[in-house]
Amino acid sequence: MSSDKQNNVKEMARQNGIVQPLLTDFYQITMAYAYWKSGKVNDTAVFDLFFRTNPFHGEFTIFAGLEECLKFLENFYYSDSDIEYLKQTLPATVEYEFYDYLKDLTCKDIKLSAIEEGSVVFPRVPLLRVEGPLIIAQLLETTLLTLVNFASLMATNAARYRMFAGKNVSLLEFGLRRAQGPDGGLSASKYSYIGGFDGTSNVLAGKMFNIPVKGTHAHSFVTSFSTLDDIHSVSLRHADCSRQCDFLKMVLESRERISEILDVSPDEASDGELAALISYAQAFPSGFMALVDTYDVKRSGLLNFCAVAIALNECGYRAVGIRIDSGDLAYLSVLARETFKRVAEKFDLPWFAKLTIVASNDINEETILSLHEQGHSIDCFGIGTHLVTCQRQPALGCVYKLVEINGQPRIKLSQDVGKVTIPGNKEAYRLFGADGHALIDLLQRSSEPAPEVGQKVLCRHPFQESKRAYVIPSKVEHLYKVYWNEGRICTAPKPLAEVRDRVQSSLKTLRQDIKRSLNPTPYKVAVSDNLYNFIHDLWLQNAPIGELF
């Protein structure tokens, strides 16, 4: 197979085949027909995709899912089988010419502007702006929402874990078995990596997205061995030559010596566990990472691991470390580190003191913060359920609202002021303060001139008249780029690794009080004075006037 074909196959493999025009709500199709029937084929619209509240009781969100949105636009078409299904599903009164219209429908007339993927974003600021024919723009709604909602929620969750874990601790995503189905599992792996995780246990995600794949073995591997007689081979080839080492003998001798150092009798340790660790080390002598809590970490797991690791060293290999999956993680990790230091000193092996300690077992944000307070010795957290299911908040709540039709602004009113939309075609700018941190996000009408560095800007709360302030920005960042126009991607999405870097660089622009776990300071989102007056004039025009009797 040629390299071009291989690259094409690889690229296609990264596209989710489930994401297609029929991955939508039924009312999108019925609205499309009603628009078509009403003669709105040539109407043009602007839709904003945004959210109203930051997730996880925090004050920031990470925008993700843009690449998948662009793939969706690129591959949007109704197949013959799609059309046949719709003919069977929609009422018989639907005119057949509508199906011909759908069959020819593409996104060639759509223009999509967006904030850069991996950026920190805030409520009310549109993440995507979709402009084009009303019918096709409406048909994109549900699919764009499903592509952005979970991706952004997942990336935000992962970014929070990364912040609370700190720079010196690795994070691994272990959530496939607990995810909401296979697609949820793949998305969780991809967007947790974007958010700052270092690897995944998900092999398919590793292949599709070039994410480092990590893992060791389960308790079942350990419990499948009962005695030392279960060892298939007692030998191991030396790393530097073809000489076969009597590995079992070396391990047993090491265990006797180490038991004196740790003041633990070999009789207390499980021979079945030792047999399992020996067998795993023989399979992966250069990558020996062992689970040590199947029976008893202190009296069996650590002793058996150290015995195998020292024997590996004598055969020219270095063990990687251990994983602890239960019990008091702070205490056990400190115990393990002290054990490694004692063995390192006794055998004059400085590297042994620095063996990796991985902890798993239903870890969440609170667990990490608590472990930090207790003074743990963990190098890496393996996180599954709480990460991939976003248990603290299962949905972000992005919405997709019509803000302009045929050049005329549209506003949605509500008794709940939080649900009133900001009408019209808008631009968004991030204004930075003198200390270099992001100070405020400003929405303006597209017809307004952009704010300038060093020039005073009046920033207003969109709905509270008394909340206003002047800002003199030291830096102005225009948040939108056009990613899709005239039927093609015009700004290529960044590779996953660059999006991942973007998350961390974007977070650094926020003050620490905005990012803290407890009572974070809300980041300000404002509108220009022009847009403020525009909103409230339109509100008065559309709000019904009641009568008193």
Side-chain angles (χ1 to χ4, degrees), residues 47-49 63 66 70 73 110-116 126-131 425-427 478-485:
F47 285 87
D48 285 346
L49 188 153
F63 171 46
L66 176 60
L70 294 174
L73 298 184
I110 288 293
K111 179 180 178 182
L112 183 140
S113 304
I115 297 174
E116 184 176 347
L127 310 178
L128 303 178
R129 184 178 65 212
V130 178
E131 306 169 63
N425 201 332
K426 300 173 291 295
E427 298 296 332
H478 184 204
L479 295 182
Y480 295 135
K481 296 178 183 176
V482 178
Y483 281 89
W484 175 272
N485 199 21

Side-chain angles (χ1 to χ4, degrees), residues 273-288:
E273 180 182 57
L274 183 62
L277 299 192
I278 289 172
S279 300
Y280 200 76
Q282 288 172 319
F284 301 101
S286 298
F288 181 53

Side-chain angles (χ1 to χ4, degrees), residues 8-29:
N8 187 52
V9 169
K10 188 175 182 180
E11 189 62 35
M12 289 300 292
R14 292 179 179 179
Q15 296 181 17
N16 190 336
I18 296 300
V19 181
Q20 52 185 287
L22 291 193
L23 185 67
T24 190
D25 293 309
F26 186 56
Y27 82 161
Q28 306 289 6
I29 307 293

Side-chain angles (χ1 to χ4, degrees), residues 77 113 120 179 284 294 346 360 416 461 545:
Y77 77 98
S113 304
V120 63
F284 301 101
T294 303
K346 182 69 175 179
S360 48
D416 179 356
H461 188 286
I545 301 174

Side-chain angles (χ1 to χ4, degrees), residues 32-224:
Y33 178 64
Y35 284 144
W36 181 86
K37 183 75 172 171
S38 302
K40 287 184 169 288
V41 171
N42 296 319
D43 284 15
T44 60
V46 179
F47 285 87
D48 285 346
L49 188 153
F50 61 96
F51 61 94
R52 297 187 177 104
T53 307
N54 287 303
F56 310 119
H57 305 292
E59 289 298 342
F60 72 87
T61 301
I62 301 297
F63 171 46
L66 176 60
E67 181 186 21
E68 294 299 325
C69 292
L70 294 174
K71 288 177 182 177
F72 172 57
L73 298 184
E74 198 170 35
N75 295 288
F76 185 99
Y77 77 98
Y78 290 97
S79 67
D80 291 341
S81 63
D82 292 341
I83 297 298
E84 286 305 311
Y85 174 76
L86 290 175
K87 286 178 180 178
Q88 297 168 23
T89 306
L90 287 165
T93 53
V94 170
E95 299 175 31
Y96 267 50
E97 289 80 3
F98 174 66
Y99 299 114
D100 293 333
Y101 169 78
L102 286 184
K103 195 169 183 180
D104 293 333
L105 209 54
T106 69
C107 291
K108 64 181 178 62
D109 296 320
I110 288 293
K111 179 180 178 182
L112 183 140
S113 304
I115 297 174
E116 184 176 347
E117 187 163 15
S119 298
V120 63
V121 290
F122 303 98
R124 294 195 174 279
V125 180
L127 310 178
L128 303 178
R129 184 178 65 212
V130 178
E131 306 169 63
L134 171 62
I135 295 178
I136 178 64
Q138 182 73 69
L139 286 168
L140 298 176
E141 175 182 3
T142 300
T143 316
L144 293 179
L145 284 170
T146 196
L147 292 174
V148 170
N149 259 314
F150 182 67
S152 299
L153 185 74
M154 188 70 236
T156 306
N157 202 22
R160 289 173 61 87
Y161 275 103
R162 167 45 66 206
M163 283 196 316
F164 299 140
K167 297 178 180 179
N168 300 321
V169 177
S170 296
L171 293 174
L172 300 177
E173 178 267 312
F174 284 174
L176 179 58
R177 63 186 60 198
R178 304 286 173 78
Q180 279 90 344
D183 186 64
L186 281 172
S187 295
S189 298
K190 178 179 181 179
Y191 295 112
S192 65
Y193 184 66
I194 284 177
F197 273 59
D198 300 290
T200 179
S201 65
N202 187 338
V203 181
L204 181 57
K207 177 186 176 184
M208 291 177 68
F209 309 122
N210 196 31
I211 300 172
V213 178
K214 305 288 183 180
T216 175
H217 60 80
H219 293 293
S220 56
F221 183 82
V222 177
T223 56
S224 70

